[in-house]
Amino acid sequence: MPPRRSHKKSRAGCRRCKSRKIKCDEVHPRCGNCTKHGVACDFEYPAIADSIPLPDTPRPATSISDCDSPSTATNPSTPPIDMSTPLPMYRNPEPLPLTGTSKSPRLMELKLLHNFTTLTCQTLTISPSVSEKIWRDTVPNLAFTGANFLADALLAVSALHLRSRSPQDQELVRASHAYMASTLSEYGANLSKGINEQNAEALFLTASLIAFQSTASRIFFRDDSDPKDRSEGYALPLSWFHSFQGVKAVVASSWQWLRHSSVVIPIIEAQPALNLDLSGQNINFFEHLLFGLEEEIAGPGDDIEDQVLTRQAYQHAVAVLDWAHKIPHTGAPLVFLATVSRRFVELLEARRPRALAILASYFALLKCLDSVWWLKGVARREILGIVSLFDPDDGEWWPRLQWPLQIALFEGDDIPPEIWGANWHAERTVLEQANQNSSFVSHIELLSQMFSAIQQLPPTMPDALDAVAHSNALARSKMPPQYEDHSPH
């Protein structure tokens, strides 16, 4: 098992942690809590300290602390979002003033909009497609129709993109945080009123941009803690999963309108068709990550239903890895974040060794996308962080970390097939074969059907969606395989 962190009192925590009355890990220049929630930390930006209230100062009435569980009771015809699905990335955002001596807010917005429509829109898709034109032209026009939260979201992402080229520009730092804070405030308010035909497209696009922002923000993560102090450790990027799971929840609850959208469908169709092998009859590259699973989950006194959901969560996550491993340059690895089950995210939050090993292998897949600005260096940084949680003398899990570790440390752009474990030259053929039989939209159709089927279930059964998803995927996987696995394992 990964070592547990030692406990220490927080004596000099950041002002934000003090205002929330939570323990601060005191990591500089940005504490773990502020990093996790994607908000500015006064360790990194002392100038904002005065804008953060201390514990004895009541919070403004406009706080959106309840955004994790938006109410959806105001519109009976609108499918509600699962109350247990968290809004991604930020919690209790506090807008930062867009002030400065050299640029007015209006000029900053013009700069950000120009950057989004000329450059950022090209980076929101891994492979060139019609969706690039949608992000460039259609999305800004939709934002101009009154969807202020969508406008703020695209400005926030654009600011982050510019910041990647000018990391010391404090105007861009403030703009990125301020616009995303404003986005989440209005986004949460609109979700609480319910999704309908008029706002479904804007809410989906905003959720997607929030997920993008959550992922891209990680490139600014700075861990200056003492490597000898294990108490400060490595922070898992759980906000990635929360934000992409948020997109999944929005899609599932508004698919009756999105399925006919000329804006949304091309974006979804740009993703490669999800073609999973859950039959257990084929030898797959990552099957070693499931070794010992039955012994692990069959503990005495464990609930049978819990065992089933845990088994399904692991099997499904590994199946997605095996699928993405064959077509990594298509952007397929990014689908992992949205398609894994809620139970798998819970296992990650609990830092279960098997879940961490699967996550390390996932980040290894992102090595193929290292040239993308918002993923540059992610594979190396995250894998080394996960590996630091394990004991090198752990004979069970340390060997299973060697492949992602080898990928993380590989120098060069083209990883040889004998190291990667698959022939990249067959990538196009594999993708064409998969797309002939299904599309990502068909996967969404299935998800929507399952979501509708469990609307009447008690809220204490949120994992029913995971169970049905696994069962349907398993049934499909019993069909003759569409392609062979050429893994060396």
Side-chain angles (χ1 to χ4, degrees):
M1 292 290 289
R4 295 185 63 183
R5 296 184 182 184
S6 60
H7 175 74
K8 66 178 182 179
K9 295 287 186 179
S10 176
R11 302 292 185 186
C14 76
R15 193 176 180 100
R16 193 179 300 278
C17 287
K18 289 180 180 179
S19 72
R20 298 177 62 202
K21 298 182 180 180
I22 60 175
K23 181 179 178 295
C24 181
D25 59 14
E26 302 177 25
V27 171
H28 286 67
R30 198 178 187 195
C31 79
N33 289 321
C34 289
T35 298
K36 175 181 177 182
H37 300 311
V39 293
C41 182
D42 59 277
F43 286 165
E44 189 175 11
Y45 311 113
I48 72 170
D50 292 340
S51 67
I52 303 175
L54 287 173
D56 57 351
T57 303
R59 284 195 170 275
T62 57
S63 172
I64 61 166
S65 59
D66 294 330
C67 276
D68 283 359
S69 301
S71 170
T72 54
T74 57
N75 189 345
S77 64
T78 302
I81 290 183
D82 193 329
M83 298 293 281
S84 62
T85 301
L87 281 186
M89 193 176 176
Y90 290 86
R91 309 261 166 65
N92 294 331
E94 295 167 13
L96 305 177
L98 288 175
T99 59
T101 57
S102 60
K103 305 180 184 70
S104 69
R106 182 181 179 186
L107 289 179
M108 171 62 79
E109 291 188 342
L110 289 174
K111 176 180 179 179
L112 296 179
L113 181 59
H114 177 264
N115 181 68
F116 184 89
T117 56
T118 58
L119 296 174
T120 304
C121 64
Q122 301 176 25
T123 69
L124 297 180
T125 56
I126 301 301
S127 302
S129 65
V130 67
S131 62
E132 181 181 316
K133 183 178 185 298
I134 291 175
W135 285 113
R136 185 189 68 225
D137 301 331
T138 311
V139 172
N141 283 327
L142 182 60
F144 298 154
T145 63
N148 293 336
F149 50 88
L150 178 57
D152 287 338
L154 66 86
L155 293 177
V157 171
S158 179
L160 198 66
H161 187 195
L162 285 173
R163 184 185 170 193
S164 70
R165 303 199 296 268
S166 304
Q168 304 305 318
D169 190 329
Q170 295 304 304
E171 290 273 347
L172 294 174
V173 173
R174 286 191 290 269
S176 179
H177 287 299
Y179 285 120
M180 185 48 63
S182 177
T183 295
L184 288 174
S185 180
E186 286 202 44
Y187 175 70
N190 278 269
L191 280 181
S192 68
K193 297 175 183 177
I195 305 179
N196 53 53
E197 186 175 3
Q198 286 68 43
N199 65 16
E201 288 181 340
L203 288 173
F204 165 80
L205 295 167
T206 301
S208 300
L209 288 171
I210 291 172
F212 183 90
Q213 176 92 351
S214 175
T215 307
S217 295
R218 189 75 171 178
I219 68 174
F220 300 107
F221 180 78
R222 298 291 184 268
D223 187 1
D224 293 338
S225 60
D226 185 351
K228 297 180 180 179
D229 186 357
R230 297 289 293 247
S231 64
E232 294 182 345
Y234 162 76
L236 293 169
L238 294 173
S239 64
W240 287 27
F241 289 91
H242 293 155
S243 59
F244 276 89
Q245 295 287 310
V247 176
K248 182 166 65 175
V250 169
V251 171
S253 60
S254 59
W255 187 243
Q256 59 178 305
W257 302 296
L258 296 183
R259 65 192 302 178
H260 304 298
S261 169
S262 61
V263 177
V264 173
I265 293 301
I267 293 176
I268 294 177
E269 285 285 21
Q271 308 303 318
L274 195 64
N275 199 330
L276 306 185
D277 177 15
L278 284 161
S279 66
Q281 299 174 358
N282 300 309
I283 297 177
N284 291 310
F285 187 79
F286 293 106
E287 64 176 1
H288 61 283
L289 295 175
L290 296 176
F291 291 166
L293 175 59
E294 294 305 320
E295 292 80 358
E296 175 184 326
I297 64 177
D302 287 353
D303 181 74
I304 297 298
E305 181 181 354
D306 187 73
Q307 293 179 14
V308 170
L309 292 177
T310 298
R311 179 189 299 108
Q312 293 172 350
Y314 282 134
Q315 290 175 339
H316 184 266
V318 171
V320 176
L321 288 185
D322 280 314
W323 164 75
H325 178 246
K326 300 181 181 75
I327 49 174
H329 294 94
T330 64
L334 296 173
V335 176
F336 180 85
L337 297 167
T339 54
V340 294
S341 67
R342 183 180 306 148
R343 173 56 59 90
F344 181 77
V345 179
E346 293 171 352
L347 294 167
L348 274 180
E349 292 173 337
R351 296 199 170 198
R352 300 286 287 272
R354 191 179 304 277
L356 293 176
I358 292 173
L359 183 62
S361 293
Y362 162 68
F363 281 123
L365 299 182
L366 294 183
K367 181 75 170 182
C368 296
L369 305 175
D370 208 48
S371 60
V372 181
W373 72 268
W374 47 278
L375 292 173
K376 191 171 185 60
V378 164
R380 180 185 179 92
R381 181 181 64 244
E382 304 300 337
I383 292 171
L384 293 181
I386 294 172
V387 168
S388 72
L389 300 176
F390 287 82
D391 186 344
D393 295 328
D394 186 339
E396 181 180 6
W397 292 105
W398 191 254
R400 307 191 207 190
L401 297 170
Q402 295 314 296
W403 181 79
L405 191 57
Q406 185 180 19
I407 297 298
L409 299 177
F410 182 84
E411 298 291 343
D413 297 329
D414 297 321
I415 304 175
E418 59 270 19
I419 295 179
W420 183 256
N423 185 0
W424 286 357
H425 296 294
E427 190 171 34
R428 180 178 296 274
T429 301
V430 170
L431 184 61
E432 290 176 351
Q433 290 176 338
N435 287 335
Q436 286 176 358
N437 296 277
S438 63
S439 67
F440 207 85
V441 167
S442 63
H443 174 73
I444 302 297
E445 288 281 7
L446 176 64
L447 177 65
S448 177
Q449 292 170 15
M450 292 183 293
F451 186 86
S452 299
I454 65 170
Q455 285 298 294
Q456 304 304 318
L457 292 178
T460 55
M461 300 178 63
D463 285 316
L465 187 61
D466 294 342
V468 178
H470 178 85
S471 298
N472 281 275
L474 182 58
R476 292 198 308 273
S477 71
K478 292 179 179 179
M479 299 173 63
Q482 301 302 321
Y483 48 81
E484 295 180 358
D485 186 352
H486 298 286
S487 306
H489 285 230

